[in-house]
Amino acid sequence: MAFSLDNLLVIGISSRALFDLEAEETIFQNDGLEAYRQHQLDNENNVLQPGAGFALVRALLKLNELTPNHRFVEVVIMSRNSSETSLRIFNSIRHYGLDITRAALSGGAPLSPYLEAFNVSLFLSLHEDDVQAAINSGIASALLYQMPDNAMEDLGQIRIAFDGDAVIFSDESERIFQEQGIEAFEQHERENALKPLPEGPFARLLVALSYLQNNFKSEDGRAFPLRTALVTARSSPAHERVIRTLRAWNIAIDETFFMGGVAKSAVLAAFKPHMFFDDQHGHCIRAASFVQTGRVPIKQ
């Protein structure tokens, strides 16, 4: 019987997001494909250092160890490498003991056509065009920023933080704020407080994470080992619609921070997520010094 990826949280991650391949990327950009190919062949037994998405992937894969004979997470390498230049990636995967056996190696072609074929729930990459194409296809995707110094800290728990508008929720209200200002935004949210916000690109991922949490709830109702946080620039009176929307979706986020325009960095540093997803570059670049960060592009 064929192995099914249905009912699994499938993470698609580029090799450059899983491992530090920045030196190799420089060789490719400056010297061309043949120089890159030869470099990878010459160094295929040299283990790569962890990259921006490594800590999150390693933490999520540990969920498969908690329940015998039951997998919750599958990770697929989605790489523009050819099979010839990919051995170094697989050797590094084996070195770190990562339970990753599947890969899509496109030989330089775009990766987005293969995301749906692997039932990808979340795609992480350092290639902006692949991330944009994934978002345009309706798949949760983020462009990763470089690792902060504390990215490899072992937290003993998976922690993921999200911005609200244009990430968990659609960018409908965000557009009103950007085009008409804060007063129009707050008036709109007051008038629509009882109407759930439309889903954003990461809504289905949040539902999937909530499903995983329910599989690990203890008798006191606490969900271990996965914890989520919403860190949003919203404040009162725009908070009510968020709370009612999550209630309508039957999702309980563990920690919620209505920042009201205050910088998110200090709260994120305290929460210590494996990954923080936000749609605005300004927020991302400030957060990236403290926590691993991924930018969610607007659907085009």
Side-chain angles (χ1 to χ4, degrees):
M1 182 181 295
F3 183 85
S4 175
L5 294 171
D6 294 341
N7 302 317
L8 290 171
L9 177 65
V10 181
I11 310 298
I13 185 166
S14 72
S15 55
R16 196 172 149 220
L18 184 62
F19 297 116
D20 182 356
L21 284 159
E22 294 315 291
E24 287 72 16
E25 178 69 10
T26 299
I27 292 172
F28 175 75
Q29 295 295 337
N30 293 342
D31 303 322
L33 178 59
E34 180 56 33
Y36 169 82
R37 171 187 169 276
Q38 191 59 51
H39 175 82
Q40 290 296 73
L41 294 178
D42 291 343
N43 290 276
E44 64 184 26
N45 292 318
N46 293 333
V47 173
L48 292 161
Q49 293 299 304
F54 185 96
L56 177 62
V57 163
R58 182 178 62 179
L60 286 170
L61 283 173
K62 287 182 179 179
L63 291 176
N64 294 334
E65 302 172 7
L66 301 181
T67 304
N69 303 317
H70 191 158
R71 293 185 71 82
F72 295 97
V73 177
E74 196 70 27
V75 175
V76 181
I77 296 294
M78 315 289 290
S79 173
R80 292 192 180 200
N81 276 278
S82 65
S83 57
E84 182 186 28
T85 59
S86 66
L87 274 181
R88 190 179 184 192
I89 297 164
F90 288 108
N91 289 341
S92 297
I93 288 171
R94 184 173 64 251
H95 170 82
Y96 291 107
L98 299 177
D99 182 15
I100 301 174
T101 60
R102 292 174 173 81
L105 308 171
S106 69
L111 293 168
S112 58
Y114 305 105
L115 298 177
E116 188 172 347
F118 280 92
N119 198 31
V120 169
S121 309
L122 172 64
F123 177 60
L124 303 172
S125 178
L126 274 72
H127 287 283
E128 189 159 8
D129 52 348
D130 282 334
V131 172
Q132 185 67 63
I135 284 288
N136 293 347
S137 300
I139 295 171
S141 183
L143 180 74
L144 300 191
Y145 289 64
Q146 292 302 319
M147 288 194 305
D149 293 337
N150 63 350
M152 298 306 296
E153 181 181 353
D154 188 358
L155 302 172
Q157 185 181 56
I158 304 164
R159 297 189 176 195
I160 304 176
F162 303 88
D163 180 34
D165 294 290
V167 179
I168 294 176
F169 315 118
S170 81
D171 65 341
E172 172 190 284
S173 298
E174 176 73 15
R175 288 199 307 269
I176 293 174
F177 172 73
Q178 295 293 339
E179 295 169 5
Q180 302 177 41
I182 185 64
E183 291 185 6
F185 166 77
E186 290 182 350
Q187 180 65 27
H188 178 266
E189 295 307 285
R190 275 193 296 264
E191 293 174 354
N192 292 276
L194 301 181
K195 180 181 178 182
L197 286 153
E199 291 184 359
F202 276 60
R204 283 181 290 175
L205 175 65
L206 187 61
V207 170
L209 293 175
S210 180
Y211 170 80
L212 287 176
Q213 285 182 311
N214 288 332
N215 277 275
F216 296 105
K217 276 190 175 177
S218 59
E219 292 182 359
D220 63 3
R222 293 182 181 274
F224 185 85
L226 177 59
R227 194 165 184 83
T228 56
L230 171 63
V231 187
T232 172
R234 285 175 177 247
S235 60
S236 176
H239 69 293
E240 181 178 355
R241 195 176 184 196
V242 168
I243 293 170
R244 291 187 180 277
T245 297
L246 295 173
R247 186 183 297 170
W249 294 355
N250 195 30
I251 289 174
I253 289 184
D254 297 296
E255 302 187 28
T256 305
F257 304 93
F258 294 104
M259 303 300 296
V262 174
K264 302 175 181 181
S265 303
V267 163
L268 289 168
F271 181 66
K272 296 182 178 180
H274 287 91
M275 191 70 68
F276 168 57
F277 296 107
D278 198 297
D279 67 299
Q280 296 189 35
H281 175 67
H283 292 165
C284 289
I285 200 68
R286 286 190 290 272
S289 297
F290 300 91
V291 299
Q292 186 60 64
T293 302
R295 178 168 59 82
V296 181
I298 301 298
K299 187 174 182 179
Q300 297 178 353

